[in-house]
């Protein structure tokens, strides 16, 4: 996406000591950044608050991450908001999260309009409570014509479930004679993933210091650079995004090959 350098410089004024906009190469910003937003519960507990307060604070970080990504000209920002395993959390927390997703999305629609952001979901949103599903569908409809950054929310998402679903869909097409077994290739698998049509993430950020994938985008992250920060998600700021991109730009990506001399 196009970068408005004036807006970007304004957005990034008042830099802390260790990082500024000059530390990143604006011509080499990753097209797709994905984030595992982790640490909301610990952030709240460290302040003597209920875990759910951490999720509320996490919404502010997410809003900032969307704006930051638009300013930096990303094509895609995706975030892991709720996994297929998160249903195991206490019912009260699950209910609160489902409600928070719906109310947040409704509240942020003006921002998506203003910034020309197109919404997308990774995961089985059909299985969500009706209120949440309805708001998500409204968000999809309302932003379908937007041509700016894609903002993808992974909700009720699990990579194993996604790959299993793709296998099932392809098997159905083979059984129906629409696809021949010898025509099943990587492109066909990709076209049956929730991420169909999007570039793979070039950079994956995980907050709160945990170093695992937690069943996230197992196919799409095959060659992605990881950046783990100890910062808890509610404290993650536009500066942390720059730190992550600076780190990414210092890597040598080889995709299984060798670096040419
Ligand atoms: C991980 O922290 C966070 C979540 C499971 C929920 C993420 C949700 C938000 C940031 C709210 C965003 C709103 C929308 C619209 C997507 P955790 O609870 O696993 O924290 P812990 O590891 O410290 O327990």
């Amino acid at each position: 996406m196009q970068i408005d350098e004036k807006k970007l410089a304004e957005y990034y004024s008042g830099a802390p000591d260790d990082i500024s906009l000059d530390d990143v190469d604006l011509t080499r910003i990753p097209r797709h950044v994905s984030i595992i937003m982790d640490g909301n519960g610990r952030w709240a507990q460290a302040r003597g608050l209920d875990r759910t307060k951490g999720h509320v604070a996490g919404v502010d970080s997410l809003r900032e991450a969307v704006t930051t990504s638009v300013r930096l000209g990303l094509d895609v920002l995706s975030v892991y908001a709720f996994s297929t395993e998160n249903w195991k959390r206490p019912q009260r927390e699950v209910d609160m999260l489902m409600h928070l997703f719906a109310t947040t999305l409704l509240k942020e629609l003006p921002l998506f309009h203003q910034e020309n952001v197109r919404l997308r979901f990774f995961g089985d949103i059909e299985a969500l409570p009706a209120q949440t599903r309805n708001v998500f569908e409204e968000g999809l409809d309302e932003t379908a014509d937007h041509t700016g950054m894609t903002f993808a929310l992974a909700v009720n998402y699990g990579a194993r479930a996604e790959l299993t679903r793709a296998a099932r869909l392809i098997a159905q097409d083979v059984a129906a004679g629409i696809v021949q077994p010898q025509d099943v290739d990587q492109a066909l698998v990709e076209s049956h993933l929730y991420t169909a049509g999007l570039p793979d993430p070039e950079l994956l950020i995980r907050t709160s210091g945990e170093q695992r994938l937690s069943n996230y985008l197992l196919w799409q992250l095959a060659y992605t650079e990881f950046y783990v920060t100890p910062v808890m998600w509610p404290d993650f700021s536009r500066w942390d995004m720059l730190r992550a991109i600076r780190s990414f730009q210092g890597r040598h990506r080889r995709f299984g090959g060798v670096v040419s001399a």
Side-chain angles (χ1 to χ4, degrees):
M1 293 286 150
Q2 198 75 25
I3 296 182
D4 181 332
E5 294 208 14
K6 189 162 166 271
K7 265 193 184 171
L8 182 66
E10 244 168 59
Y11 184 70
Y12 270 113
S13 61
D17 291 342
D18 68 308
I19 183 93
S20 82
L21 205 49
D22 295 337
D23 294 323
V24 303
D25 178 351
L26 294 180
T27 66
R28 292 198 304 126
I29 298 289
R31 287 178 70 196
H32 181 175
V33 174
S34 197
I35 307 180
I36 301 180
M37 308 181 288
D38 198 9
N40 290 349
R42 277 165 286 163
W43 179 93
Q45 280 161 344
R47 285 160 182 76
L49 302 169
D50 189 76
R51 290 177 51 80
T52 55
K53 294 284 188 292
H55 300 315
V56 174
V59 170
D60 291 334
S61 296
L62 185 54
R63 186 184 307 108
E64 178 161 334
V66 170
T67 307
T68 303
S69 302
V70 170
R71 293 286 167 272
L72 286 170
L74 263 62
D75 290 341
V76 185
L77 171 72
S78 54
V79 299
Y80 202 8
F82 194 88
S83 74
T84 44
E85 287 71 40
N86 285 151
W87 298 107
K88 288 186 265 184
R89 294 189 171 206
Q91 191 59 41
R92 189 175 149 270
E93 184 172 339
V94 170
D95 292 346
M96 182 273 173
L97 277 169
M98 290 299 145
H99 183 69
L100 187 69
F101 294 156
T103 51
T104 302
L105 213 73
L106 266 187
K107 224 171 83 196
E108 300 305 333
L109 277 178
L111 172 72
F112 300 152
H113 286 308
Q114 182 194 310
E115 301 291 356
N116 195 20
V117 167
R118 183 175 184 161
L119 260 186
R120 179 140 175 183
F121 293 96
F122 301 160
D124 181 10
I125 65 167
E126 296 288 313
L128 299 178
Q131 186 213 17
T132 309
R133 194 180 64 230
N134 292 341
V135 171
F136 281 11
E137 278 163 6
E138 185 182 334
L140 284 174
D141 279 355
E142 286 220 11
T143 63
D145 295 333
H146 291 175
T147 54
M149 186 184 79
T150 296
F151 172 46
L153 277 167
V155 178
N156 195 19
Y157 174 85
R160 289 181 175 180
E162 176 185 41
L163 290 165
T164 306
R165 172 180 173 272
R168 190 184 316 116
L169 293 171
I170 292 169
Q172 281 166 357
D173 283 352
V174 170
I178 300 166
V179 168
Q180 299 307 307
Q182 62 273 21
D183 295 333
V184 178
D185 58 9
Q186 294 190 12
L188 187 78
V189 174
E190 269 169 12
S191 71
H192 288 83
L193 301 178
Y194 292 117
T195 48
L198 299 178
D200 288 339
E202 289 159 85
L203 172 63
L204 174 77
I205 300 171
R206 183 160 188 158
T207 57
S208 92
E210 306 292 349
Q211 303 183 44
R212 30 168 202 279
L213 276 183
S214 302
N215 199 15
Y216 187 55
L217 300 181
L218 296 181
W219 173 287
Q220 298 86 341
L221 295 176
Y223 288 105
T224 303
E225 297 292 329
F226 290 2
Y227 177 83
V228 174
T229 169
V231 172
M232 299 289 156
W233 177 250
D235 290 328
F236 189 87
S237 71
R238 65 194 74 184
W239 304 106
D240 294 305
M241 184 76 101
L242 272 195
R243 290 181 185 106
I245 292 174
R246 176 179 60 185
S247 169
F248 166 82
Q249 291 183 343
R251 316 269 178 99
H252 297 288
R253 306 187 76 204
R254 292 189 293 277
F255 301 97
V258 291
V259 184
S260 51

